[in-house]
Amino acid sequence: MSNQIRVGIVGCGLIAQVMHLPYLSELSDQFQVAALCDISQDTARRCGARYGVDAVYGSWQEMLGEELDAVMVLTSGDHAPPAIAAAKAGLHVFVEKPMAFSSRGAEEMLDAAQSAGVRLMVGTMKRYDPAYERLLELLAAFRDDLRLVRVTTLESPFKPYIEHYSLISGTPAPAEVLAALQREDQQAIDVALGDADERTRACYRWILLDNLVHEFNAVRGALGDPTEVVHAHLSERCVSVNLRFGETECHLSWVDLPGIARYKQEFAFYAPNQRLTLELPSPFLRSAPSRLLVEGGEPDSVHSWEREEIVGYDEAFKRELREFADCIATGREARTSGVDGLADIRLLEAVARAHQGLEAVLA
């Protein structure tokens, strides 16, 4: 009897083709891709031919009729509708970030998974980076005297990082299907933000949900939930957010630099006698190692030191798939569980409220 987890894939786009499908294939002792679904059924069919999957569909509703153990929702839109339906069908669920477009949608996902007794995991893969895990080990030694956390992301065009992959681009989905999905996404943003202005809505959708959810999740993984959103300013060019984690200040900056293909992301943690800086490469580069800088010194002394650690080349996307398989096998919750993903969405909504000058309550 096979121990493989029969997985149905919802969404055969960029992240599925660059990361998830290749690694699911490599992890064939744990997973079998049993069905593929994409709103461009031509794309699903061609991905099926590449990975030996015969069952292909143009809608997730049809795909849920297959004999499956789990569903992975890898689309660029709101993940709540297919995830809720899959959980109610008794299937384990993995969703790419962001978990949902609103905290209400995330709550409904979590309720569906808990009621069905299935695992719900969110793909915030930076938490599975070997260097991030090493960072947490070192941070524990001076967590109580941490003064400042600085998070900086220099966004860059992603085409240079993916054009060397052999990607499938099928016939576009029908216009009416795309329009219906866009309406659903906007309705979910209505639930999250109410009558927010168009600029706030755009920044919430394309910067907070699509990009910065990773940064917020990684900081939460290190420090827990913030106690306050002190300040937030959102624009399409630059984002600035100040958080407080108890006595620790955190400043997050994101800037779009479309003319320079040099993506850079840093998480820096400062204490009186030690500094830790985690530098992450473009998330589209398979197995590119993150770089951890460790600095220290001696009080009242000129002596100081620095070392660089390369912790490993094991890909975070692959490691999170192993975590998903283990959670299904053992019944334990993932470190990036549905509860964790819900906290991310609540924080993003609070940041958007703070940008509007509204009370940023962290529920």
Side-chain angles (χ1 to χ4, degrees):
M1 182 176 178
S2 173
N3 292 321
Q4 289 176 308
I5 299 165
R6 290 177 56 84
V7 179
I9 304 295
V10 181
C12 298
L14 180 62
I15 206 64
Q17 292 188 44
V18 171
M19 292 295 180
H20 291 296
L21 286 172
Y23 289 127
L24 287 167
S25 180
E26 290 184 18
L27 296 170
S28 59
D29 59 325
Q30 294 176 292
F31 295 98
Q32 177 192 353
V33 179
L36 296 172
C37 162
D38 195 272
I39 55 174
S40 167
Q41 196 162 350
D42 180 44
T43 299
R45 187 179 302 110
R46 293 174 63 187
C47 285
R50 175 174 290 181
Y51 289 97
V53 182
D54 295 327
V56 295
Y57 297 90
S59 74
W60 56 262
Q61 292 90 338
E62 294 178 284
M63 191 192 74
L64 291 183
E66 282 283 331
E67 184 179 343
L68 302 170
D69 301 309
V71 165
M72 295 181 64
V73 184
L74 311 178
T75 65
S76 61
D78 186 16
H79 299 145
I84 292 168
K88 288 182 175 179
L91 304 177
H92 302 288
V93 180
F94 175 103
V95 294
E96 257 297 341
K97 63 78 187 169
M99 180 179 178
F101 279 13
S102 72
S103 59
R104 185 188 302 176
E107 289 165 356
E108 292 174 359
M109 291 168 64
L110 188 57
D111 288 344
Q114 291 176 340
S115 296
V118 298
R119 304 280 70 76
L120 172 60
M121 178 174 169
V122 183
T124 35
M125 85 294 178
K126 296 180 193 290
R127 297 273 293 279
Y128 300 91
D129 186 303
Y132 176 84
E133 293 177 351
R134 173 62 173 157
L135 168 78
L136 297 188
E137 292 177 6
L138 297 174
L139 186 60
F142 61 89
R143 172 66 181 85
D144 292 340
D145 201 13
L146 189 62
R147 304 292 176 86
L148 176 68
V149 177
R150 178 180 54 80
V151 182
T152 306
T153 299
L154 308 182
E155 196 64 63
S156 72
F158 64 82
K159 182 179 177 181
Y161 295 102
I162 64 169
E163 57 189 358
H164 57 287
Y165 297 121
S166 177
L167 300 178
I168 292 169
S169 179
T171 304
E176 61 273 17
V177 172
L178 290 172
L181 290 173
Q182 289 170 356
R183 286 194 297 271
E184 289 179 9
D185 288 351
Q186 290 304 312
Q187 289 166 1
I189 294 174
D190 289 342
V191 171
L193 301 185
D195 60 355
D197 61 89
E198 286 304 314
R199 185 179 192 181
T200 301
R201 292 169 65 90
C203 290
Y204 176 78
R205 168 64 183 93
W206 298 110
I207 301 176
L208 294 182
L209 288 174
D210 206 46
N211 288 283
L212 287 176
V213 66
H214 274 305
E215 284 86 327
F216 286 115
N217 181 267
V219 173
R220 286 185 50 257
L223 305 181
D225 291 324
T227 52
E228 184 181 359
V229 179
V230 179
H231 170 267
H233 174 73
L234 310 178
S235 78
E236 296 85 351
R237 298 174 60 183
C238 187
V239 167
S240 175
V241 179
N242 281 13
L243 304 174
R244 186 171 288 121
F245 293 81
E247 296 299 313
T248 302
E249 302 286 340
C250 174
H251 179 74
L252 182 148
S253 299
W254 175 94
V255 59
D256 187 27
L257 302 173
I260 306 175
R262 291 183 63 84
Y263 177 91
K264 188 173 184 180
Q265 186 173 85
E266 289 186 351
F267 294 84
F269 298 80
Y270 301 122
N273 299 327
Q274 194 160 10
R275 302 171 189 170
L276 300 175
T277 303
L278 177 64
E279 297 181 356
L280 293 103
S282 167
F284 295 108
L285 295 178
R286 295 178 192 153
S287 298
S290 297
R291 181 169 171 256
L292 182 60
L293 296 178
V294 185
E295 300 173 76
E298 297 176 3
D300 301 319
S301 169
V302 71
H303 179 69
S304 64
W305 52 266
E306 176 184 276
R307 74 172 184 267
E308 175 183 338
E309 295 190 16
I310 300 297
V311 182
Y313 293 87
D314 198 8
E315 172 56 53
F317 279 96
K318 190 174 184 179
R319 298 179 90 228
E320 71 179 357
L321 289 173
R322 293 196 195 103
E323 172 105 345
F324 186 45
D326 187 65
C327 290
I328 292 173
T330 63
R332 69 175 178 86
E333 292 292 340
R335 71 190 83 164
T336 54
S337 65
V339 172
D340 187 65
L342 171 58
D344 286 335
I345 305 305
R346 285 175 172 166
L347 177 54
L348 298 186
E349 289 176 344
V351 168
R353 289 194 299 271
H355 166 73
Q356 297 175 86
L358 303 175
E359 186 178 5
V361 177
L362 292 166

